[in-house]
Amino acid sequence: MNKILDLGSFWWYIYCMGINDNGYIRGLVGPLVSRKVGTKNYIQGKPHRVKQNVDTKNAGKDFGQASRAGAAIRQAFGLVHQELHDGQMGNRLNRQIYRAMKTNINDDRGTLCLNNCKLDRLVNFQFNENFHMQDALNIDPMVNLTEESKIEISFPIFDINRALLLPKYCNAIAFKFHAFSFNFKEREFTEIKDEEWEIDIVYGQDPISAKTISIPCKEFVGTPILVGFTIIYLHKNGRRCNVLNEVDCTPATILAAFQL
């Protein structure tokens, strides 16, 4: 006849329950966990849940905001990085955004946003670590924000063969600039300007004349502005024009960042 356990004995049985596996005990045994590994029994304490303190929770909220801002930047500058970036680009960008967000020392942790911080910490971020812009381009364009809320990107006179590292078969390039206004709280962005400066490469050609790219931003005052910059390598052959960019041959960077 089966013996019926009273309620107290039943819960004690559940508490001490372990499975007998041919002489080995597996499972929960009181406050311990028994495991069978090969021909041995191992006993270890039950893992305790780690309670997050307030600072940890707030840091998690801020990093989540950084991750959402990073997703918006990656999406906006798709024509800049062309999906030809290193595998860790997203993580690197999120970390750099988080560093920029922490420059906002007025707002409480857990409420930080890239809308209110030092955006210049994002300048020179490389979308592609495989090919740094400073390895591809030996001159630095000057970036200036005018009193009329125009972003000016100025190039000096330069010899194209000395100023650029060019892939094989490249006989033309295009400097591409893409500017956006962002609302990072809403993960929204608006295109301001998409401009390309194409230059043919001819043996023995004269130096390239100085040039300034102007991006009017007056109607976007009060918002964060980011400008992406990449070099597109081209091989022109009659009517055909092939793009030579690859994962190890695509420099792409955040050239300018302003809080207007």
Side-chain angles (χ1 to χ4, degrees), residues 12-30:
W12 177 254
Y13 171 77
I14 293 297
Y15 178 73
C16 297
M17 184 173 58
I19 299 174
N20 189 332
D21 183 5
N22 293 326
Y24 297 94
I25 302 298
R26 293 189 293 107
L28 183 65
V29 182

Side-chain angles (χ1 to χ4, degrees), residues 18-258:
I19 299 174
N20 189 332
D21 183 5
N22 293 326
Y24 297 94
I25 302 298
R26 293 189 293 107
L28 183 65
V29 182
L32 305 175
V33 176
S34 179
R35 305 182 189 278
K36 177 189 174 185
V37 180
T39 59
K40 295 183 179 181
N41 250 142
Y42 292 91
I43 305 295
Q44 67 182 89
K46 288 171 58 178
H48 295 284
R49 293 183 61 186
V50 178
K51 293 184 178 180
Q52 290 186 324
N53 58 35
V54 174
D55 290 340
T56 303
K57 290 181 179 179
N58 287 339
K61 291 179 181 178
D62 289 338
F63 200 80
Q65 178 65 31
S67 180
R68 290 187 288 273
I73 291 174
R74 293 194 303 274
Q75 184 179 353
F77 289 123
L79 293 178
V80 173
H81 58 69
Q82 306 170 64
E83 300 299 333
L84 298 174
H85 52 73
D86 62 278
Q88 293 300 311
M89 183 268 281
N91 291 331
R92 292 190 298 104
L93 179 58
N94 292 347
R95 289 195 297 269
Q96 193 59 33
I97 290 172
Y98 187 54
R99 295 184 185 107
M101 285 169 53
K102 290 194 294 184
T103 63
N104 182 352
I105 59 176
N106 295 319
D107 291 345
D108 295 331
R109 297 296 191 204
T111 65
L112 301 183
C113 179
L114 199 54
N115 281 0
N116 306 301
C117 68
K118 291 185 177 181
L119 289 176
D120 54 3
R121 286 199 173 191
L122 301 182
V123 174
N124 203 35
F125 175 81
Q126 302 297 311
F127 289 101
N128 188 5
E129 275 201 330
N130 299 320
F131 197 30
H132 198 290
M133 182 62 74
Q134 292 179 0
D135 295 326
L137 184 64
N138 298 326
I139 57 174
D140 294 326
M142 298 293 294
V143 180
N144 180 50
L145 178 64
T146 71
E147 293 182 357
E148 294 79 24
S149 297
K150 286 185 180 180
I151 297 175
E152 294 183 340
I153 304 166
S154 300
F155 286 80
I157 298 174
F158 63 92
D159 182 311
I160 198 165
N161 289 294
R162 298 186 63 181
L164 287 119
L165 178 63
L166 301 172
K168 192 175 181 181
Y169 305 121
C170 180
N171 59 12
I173 62 162
F175 289 146
K176 183 177 183 63
F177 307 91
H178 216 172
F180 287 90
S181 166
F182 288 87
N183 181 341
F184 290 109
K185 285 186 177 179
E186 303 298 330
R187 194 181 160 182
E188 296 176 348
F189 51 87
T190 303
E191 181 183 89
I192 301 174
K193 192 169 188 178
D194 178 10
E195 174 137 345
E196 290 186 8
W197 174 22
E198 188 171 319
I199 305 171
D200 289 330
I201 301 171
V202 181
Y203 179 77
Q205 70 189 102
D206 294 333
I208 305 301
S209 300
K211 186 179 180 70
T212 296
I213 306 295
S214 181
I215 302 174
C217 301
K218 191 172 183 178
E219 62 181 291
F220 299 98
V221 170
T223 68
I225 305 293
L226 301 184
V227 181
F229 170 45
T230 188
I231 303 174
I232 300 174
Y233 302 104
L234 304 170
H235 173 61
K236 292 183 177 181
N237 183 12
R239 294 184 178 181
R240 296 185 61 185
C241 184
N242 297 321
V243 176
L244 303 176
N245 293 64
E246 297 178 351
V247 172
D248 59 351
C249 186
T250 298
T253 187
I254 295 177
L255 180 65
F258 294 99

